[in-house]
Amino acid sequence: MPEPTLNDLRQAAKRIKPYAHRTPILTCESLNQQVGAQVFLKCENLQKIGAFKFRGACNAVFSLSEVEAARGVVAHSSGNHAQALALAARLRGIPAYIVMPSTAPAVKKAAVAGYGGQITFCEPTLAARESTQAEVIARTGATEVHPYNNPRVIAGQGTAALELLEDIPDLDVILAPVGGGGLLSGTAIAATECSPRIRVIAAEPERADDAYRSLQAGKILPSEHPQTIADGLLTSLGSLTFPIIQKRVEQIVTVSEAGIIAAMKFAWERTKIVIEPSAAVPLGLLWERKIDLGNLRVGVILSGGNVDLEKLPWQT
Amino acid sequence: MPEPTLNDLRQAAKRIKPYAHRTPILTCESLNQQVGAQVFLKCENLQKIGAFKFRGACNAVFSLSEVEAARGVVAHSSGNHAQALALAARLRGIPAYIVMPSTAPAVKKAAVAGYGGQITFCEPTLAARESTQAEVIARTGATEVHPYNNPRVIAGQGTAALELLEDIPDLDVILAPVGGGGLLSGTAIAATECSPRIRVIAAEPERADDAYRSLQAGKILPSEHPQTIADGLLTSLGSLTFPIIQKRVEQIVTVSEAGIIAAMKFAWERTKIVIEPSAAVPLGLLWERKIDLGNLRVGVILSGGNVDLEKLPWQT
């Protein structure tokens, strides 16, 4: 699969414009003081379905031909991508088939169903998810929309950084979290193509550091028993995202669980926005001052805000 | 004291522009569906110090002559107004004297001190607060900035609605909470002067319904033992705010505690913003469908987002 170009991202931006929010960019003086940099928060937690994932899913769904679209789309996911794909499909008026492990939390099942997704449950193993998805495709002819290893999805995710750079062109650094690498590779294409001087740095939980290790090793290493509160970042890099990240991302920095939680709480308390732990990982990088970004202008893609308000990590 | 004019509000908007955030206006499809109206959220929780109060304090502080300003400003408050005045004074480089009851929560004392406010503690009675403030004025010559019964404060608070109407001119209704009435009267001046067809409706907790009763009685009735989670709305109307509200506000609607909490939680969960209970009161009005606003375009001033994350109302 070819790497998406800047033009692909710009086409994606046009394609999703009628459906996606242009999310606000917030600044917060107390955050700046806390981390010693000038921070611009691109609030994808305020995006539809509460996460950047809507951008990629929407671009993929609206890129399909009429014939393809009529057969629907399919993904196996229990997270934000499932909701994003269900909503994007509903907006185009086509079916979304979502394969979910039967063990997924009730709230996630309800959310996907609420957006009109047709759920097929399976055993909670990767093999079962893949075989169940293959059955759905055989039965329906639906197009698979992979959550990150898909050029249209990557192009869609990159539109958040395009908007950020349109509004704040003179950034020194852009930070994004990394899980499967869809958001990070889209962000890196946007940033490095728009302005070669912008540094793209990724943040990853210490306890799910497969992308960090992969970049060191020069090959994709799997995510082994990751145990982090940042449950959106458990997946491994893909064959499409890895080379983009190798080429365009300056470095991946790991962040402790304590740093993620402290930064998350600070964002809620002082910036007054609800962000999920995965979105707090780049803030945790700033919080822990793992690298010197002193007085730089730092854009941060806040990836999402889907959390269970009954179980907050700072509560005992 | 004269009622502020639309021109006063426009002057205030110019005066505070270099210091205040132009807060974003958010929309949320699931909120619209839930309440059966098209809702535009003016996010003053994302304002500096986390509340609209910064607008009024900033306008008051930057309206002072050099001679007045040099002597500083004073208020008795333990809430958002104290932080707002402290920050506005710091931005102008003048002292802010804040009279606070010694029983105020440590976090509020720390917040005011953090913005450079000089705190004088007193007994937790209105008489002690007023006599202590009088002593501070006698000693320093500072100018009192009342939290709501002050035309410059009202003009400042009205700038939030001015911005909302600039961005979304074709609203049918504007909702705001009412406590002392500063935000409500500023909002009402902005709305009724900019567009005579816009209805201004206020929301008040059932358990602190003095403004509702005052409007019925045709005279200011005191707030008697109010017991509501919306702790920003405990005060009574003032001699300046009451006639503005009588003249320009269509009605005041009361909201139950359960409605306030349900709406607050929904805003956190679905809109991904942190709002305080007082800000959730107008949302509670929509939530409980106390009046018919079906399919109307409804602007809501979300007043603030200062909450204690350790004590959330939906937790047992």
Side-chain angles (χ1 to χ4, degrees), chain A residues 257-267 287:
Chain A
E257 295 294 294
I260 296 168
I261 294 171
M264 178 177 165
K265 191 175 183 197
F266 191 89
W287 184 270

Side-chain angles (χ1 to χ4, degrees), chain A residues 265 272 274 306 310 315, chain B residues 265 272 274 306 310 315:
Chain A
K265 191 175 183 197
K272 313 297 180 191
V274 171
N306 291 323
E310 310 288 346
Q315 287 165 340
Chain B
K265 191 177 183 197
K272 313 299 179 192
V274 171
N306 290 323
E310 309 288 347
Q315 286 164 340

Side-chain angles (χ1 to χ4, degrees), chain B residues 278-295:
Chain B
S278 303
V281 176
L283 292 180
L285 185 162
L286 289 165
W287 184 271
E288 294 190 323
R289 303 202 185 200
K290 294 292 278 269
I291 52 173
D292 182 16
L293 298 174
N295 297 317

Side-chain angles (χ1 to χ4, degrees), chain B residues 180-264:
Chain B
L183 177 64
L184 178 58
S185 47
T187 300
I189 293 167
T192 53
E193 293 293 325
C194 287
S195 164
R197 61 170 283 281
I198 295 184
R199 300 160 61 191
V200 181
I201 298 174
E204 190 176 35
E206 267 174 22
R207 290 167 70 172
D209 66 346
D210 55 287
Y212 172 80
R213 288 184 293 106
S214 299
L215 217 52
Q216 302 291 319
K219 62 179 181 184
I220 301 175
L221 298 177
S223 185
E224 282 173 357
H225 310 298
Q227 285 205 321
T228 170
I229 189 174
D231 60 0
L233 306 179
L234 301 180
T235 43
S236 313
L237 297 176
S239 58
L240 183 55
T241 56
F242 181 59
I244 299 172
I245 291 168
Q246 272 188 311
K247 180 173 149 196
R248 297 177 185 271
V249 173
E250 178 188 297
Q251 59 176 314
I252 298 178
V253 179
T254 60
V255 181
S256 75
E257 295 294 293
I260 296 168
I261 294 170
M264 177 177 166

Side-chain angles (χ1 to χ4, degrees), chain A residues 21 24 26-27 33 45-46 50 90 115 265 268-274 305-306 309-310 312 314-315, chain B residues 21 24 26-27 33 45-46 50 115 265 268-274 305-306 309-310 312 314-315:
Chain A
H21 288 306
L26 299 181
T27 60
Q33 284 175 18
N45 57 324
L46 305 178
R90 192 174 71 182
Y115 289 119
K265 191 175 183 197
W268 287 44
E269 275 180 338
R270 305 304 293 261
T271 317
K272 313 297 180 191
I273 50 174
V274 171
N306 291 323
L309 293 181
E310 310 288 346
L312 298 175
W314 48 81
Q315 287 165 340
Chain B
H21 288 307
L26 299 181
T27 59
Q33 285 174 18
N45 57 323
L46 305 177
Y115 289 118
K265 191 177 183 197
W268 287 44
E269 275 181 337
R270 305 304 292 262
T271 317
K272 313 299 179 192
I273 49 174
V274 171
N306 290 323
L309 292 181
E310 309 288 347
L312 297 175
W314 49 80
Q315 286 164 340

Side-chain angles (χ1 to χ4, degrees), chain B residues 72-129:
Chain B
V73 285
V74 62
H76 60 83
S77 162
S78 56
N80 290 335
H81 179 62
Q83 295 181 47
L85 193 62
L87 176 58
R90 191 174 72 182
L91 289 168
R92 187 154 180 190
I94 64 173
Y97 305 101
I98 307 295
V99 175
M100 283 178 100
S102 49
T103 53
V107 60
K108 299 208 166 180
K109 297 174 186 171
V112 170
Y115 289 118
Q118 299 179 36
I119 305 177
T120 307
F121 291 108
C122 68
E123 293 300 304
T125 65
L126 183 59
R129 288 162 67 140

